[in-house]
Amino acid sequence: MIALPAFSQVNPLPPERAFRFTARALNPQTIEARFAIADGYYLYRDKIRFTAQPVTAGLSVPPLPQGKPKEDPFFGRVETYRGSLVVNLTLKDAAIGQNIVIQAESQGCADIGICYPPQVQQATVPIRAANAAPARPDESRKSWFD
Amino acid sequence: MKKGRWAVLLGATVIALAAGLYLGMRSQSDNASDASTLLALSLPDTAGKSQPLGQWRGKVLVVNFWATWCVPCREEMPQFIKAQQEFGPQGLQFVGIAVDDADKAERFAKELGLNYPVLVGGFGAIELSRTLGNRVVALPFTIFVDRHGNVSHTQLGPVRPDQLSSIVSKLL
């Protein structure tokens, strides 16, 4: 084998650690969805989608906050997020005691010059009258091609 | 894209993925540097025609997993075009495997003027690349195969021009 170059010694994070997703209920009508984005990594604004199960919970997603603009020669103007992204999602018909699964689809890259395929992560959020800790992301990581 | 073409691509991708998973496991247990996993694959080109990678056996083969949504992938491709043009007559062969759909891959290949084949793996190709050593399943991911069918080098992330020159010159 040919000796590995310096880049090969770098250990990029797996996507679920580079873009850590959590969600928690602030109240029965509001879910706080959060991406903690590791240093040196970024997410594309237009690749982020949220869905909820069961669909009868009536999820409503507000416009995402403005990201940092970036010119892409192939896709034109795109926006990216670094650090963290917090979005307050609205539920119309979630009942106290119900578990809502929030599914977040995202796609991002690392400054070292790699990009991850679109990922789907999910978190189960118990709806309570008063809430505490964020829901842990589910262990299973999905992607578009699963 | 016509439904028939999608069906052909999807079928070929599933078959290739299954072959890759099977051969990948076998390859790891037999010989980690053996490229038989790769050379046993067939994937459709952007026109939907199945292309066995074994057709390039005996050449110095550089297989590059890429996608149109991957900026670093696109940025490194002009140097591949240049190297293909310069060293192709000496037996260097680049092959791109697009982790994308055929329409986007074809459009991008035309825009950039790719002078080497582009095969279409869809999103299933990223899993295929995992069986070939791409543990983080990110792009770009590039595999260099020598004339004897052995993997001489794999790289996650862009290949720098000086690296490309160094690796290829040793293999030709």
Side-chain angles (χ1 to χ4, degrees), chain A residues 7 12 32 56-57 69 81 83 108 131:
Chain A
F7 180 89
E32 181 192 79
T56 52
Y81 298 117
N131 283 278

Side-chain angles (χ1 to χ4, degrees), chain A residues 15-16 18-21 35 37 42-50 81 85 103-109 116-121 142-144:
Chain A
E16 68 274 16
F19 313 109
R20 198 180 291 270
F21 174 69
F35 278 103
I37 304 167
Y42 56 93
L43 284 176
Y44 284 102
R45 180 178 188 253
D46 66 346
K47 303 291 184 187
I48 294 173
R49 306 274 186 280
F50 296 102
Y81 298 117
L85 169 66
Q103 193 158 281
E105 185 179 298
S106 66
Q107 197 259 310
C109 302
Y116 300 88
Q119 304 291 316
V120 176
Q121 299 176 75
K142 295 182 178 178
S143 49
W144 280 3

Side-chain angles (χ1 to χ4, degrees), chain A residues 6-59:
Chain A
F7 180 89
S8 301
Q9 310 306 321
V10 176
N11 289 317
L13 294 173
E16 68 274 16
R17 286 179 56 205
F19 313 109
R20 198 180 291 270
F21 174 69
T22 56
R24 63 172 180 159
L26 300 180
N27 56 56
Q29 292 80 39
T30 311
I31 301 275
E32 181 192 79
R34 179 184 292 269
F35 278 103
I37 304 167
D39 284 349
Y41 295 77
Y42 56 93
L43 284 176
Y44 284 102
R45 180 178 188 253
D46 66 346
K47 303 291 184 187
I48 294 173
R49 306 274 186 280
F50 296 102
T51 56
Q53 292 291 337
V55 290
T56 52
L59 181 76

Side-chain angles (χ1 to χ4, degrees), chain B residues 42-58:
Chain B
S42 289
L43 287 170
D45 58 24
T46 54
K49 186 182 175 187
S50 180
Q51 297 287 350
L53 271 80
Q55 68 185 286
W56 295 294
R57 195 182 288 273

